[in-house]
Amino acid sequence: MTRDGRLARGDHTRAAVLDTAVALATRDGLDGLSLAQVADELRLSKSALFAHWRRKEELQLATIERAREQWLERVISPALREPRGVRRLWALHRRRIAFYADSVLPGGCFFANAEFEFNARAGPVKDRLAEILADWLGLLERLAREAIEAGELIPGTDPALLAYESEALGLAAVMQSRLIGTDAAYELALRSMHARLRSLSTDPEKIKEHIE
């Protein structure tokens, strides 16, 4: 096998490991994640993974980065293809709820689970989770400001408050849906944000979709 072939195989294995680690962390917790657990799930030897991550914390941090990439691929990037303004803000919320509703991850949301798990701890894992949350809230605020500047949200709209409301609805939806076993939480999260954006919009017809 050529060196390039070995590298490609190594990259493929690493990607498969991290995708599995993200899924397992939503079910068993990020702190419960181990090389042995991932190796068993993929039917690989633990030694094959040890070459990539020698400490549990290294695996946890790499898993966080893969979860961030997954969120970017499935939620953020598609939403940012929508027109700038209130439609983009609405698309981001819709994509988030769709990601949960599609049961991509067994535990619903990697970041919601990990943030609750590590919010009372100190160290690099918590610090990285905090950075990613700040970036996410910052994105929501930026999109709200852009909508205000475009004249699509009424003057006086508070971008930070709107970002907080969007995040709260997303968290409530994914947590409640897992506990009570129904999609009603997703529907309510969509209806709530839809109504909120239309109430603040200078032209509610820009997001005129009917939400049951």
Side-chain angles (χ1 to χ4, degrees):
M1 181 181 292
T2 66
R3 182 174 181 273
D4 287 347
R6 289 194 300 271
L7 287 174
R9 183 177 177 182
D11 289 344
H12 177 76
T13 298
R14 190 176 190 278
V17 167
L18 291 178
D19 282 342
T20 299
V22 170
L24 289 174
T26 69
R27 188 190 70 192
D28 302 326
L30 190 56
D31 197 41
L33 196 61
S34 69
L35 289 176
Q37 180 191 30
V38 177
D40 287 345
E41 190 75 15
L42 291 172
R43 297 182 179 179
L44 296 172
S45 68
K46 184 178 175 181
S47 61
L49 306 186
F50 193 71
H52 293 286
W53 307 281
R54 294 183 175 275
R55 295 186 300 123
K56 180 177 180 176
E57 188 176 86
E58 291 177 359
L59 177 61
Q60 289 173 328
L61 291 170
T63 301
I64 290 171
E65 295 310 313
R66 177 55 191 141
R68 184 185 63 81
E69 291 169 1
Q70 188 180 73
W71 191 256
L72 179 65
E73 293 163 3
R74 292 179 174 266
V75 178
I76 296 176
S77 292
L80 293 184
R81 290 196 286 269
E82 295 293 324
R84 185 185 298 264
V86 70
R87 285 169 290 184
R88 188 173 289 181
L89 195 57
W90 170 233
L92 194 63
H93 189 73
R94 283 193 296 107
R95 289 286 181 175
R96 176 184 191 166
I97 299 302
F99 179 76
Y100 298 153
D102 289 344
S103 299
V104 175
L105 299 173
C109 181
F110 174 88
F111 289 106
N113 293 336
E115 286 161 14
F116 278 115
E117 185 181 0
F118 279 84
N119 66 3
R121 307 187 191 189
V125 172
K126 178 187 177 179
D127 292 345
R128 185 60 183 135
L129 289 169
E131 290 172 355
I132 291 173
L133 176 58
D135 287 345
W136 168 248
L137 292 173
L139 173 63
L140 290 170
E141 287 188 39
R142 178 171 65 80
L143 296 188
R145 284 194 299 271
E146 289 176 357
I148 295 168
E149 292 165 1
E152 295 189 1
L153 290 178
I154 60 175
T157 298
D158 186 337
L161 178 59
L162 196 54
Y164 181 87
E165 290 170 332
S166 177
E167 175 66 3
L169 286 170
L171 287 177
V174 72
M175 291 300 180
Q176 290 180 19
S177 68
R178 293 308 187 203
L179 289 172
I180 61 179
T182 177
D183 289 336
Y186 298 140
E187 179 187 319
L188 289 171
L190 288 171
R191 287 172 56 192
S192 296
M193 192 62 181
H194 188 255
R196 178 65 169 145
L197 288 175
R198 282 177 64 87
S199 73
L200 294 172
S201 180
T202 57
D203 181 7
E205 292 301 299
K206 285 187 181 296
I207 50 169
K208 63 183 179 180
E209 298 105 310
H210 180 64
I211 304 296
E212 295 293 337

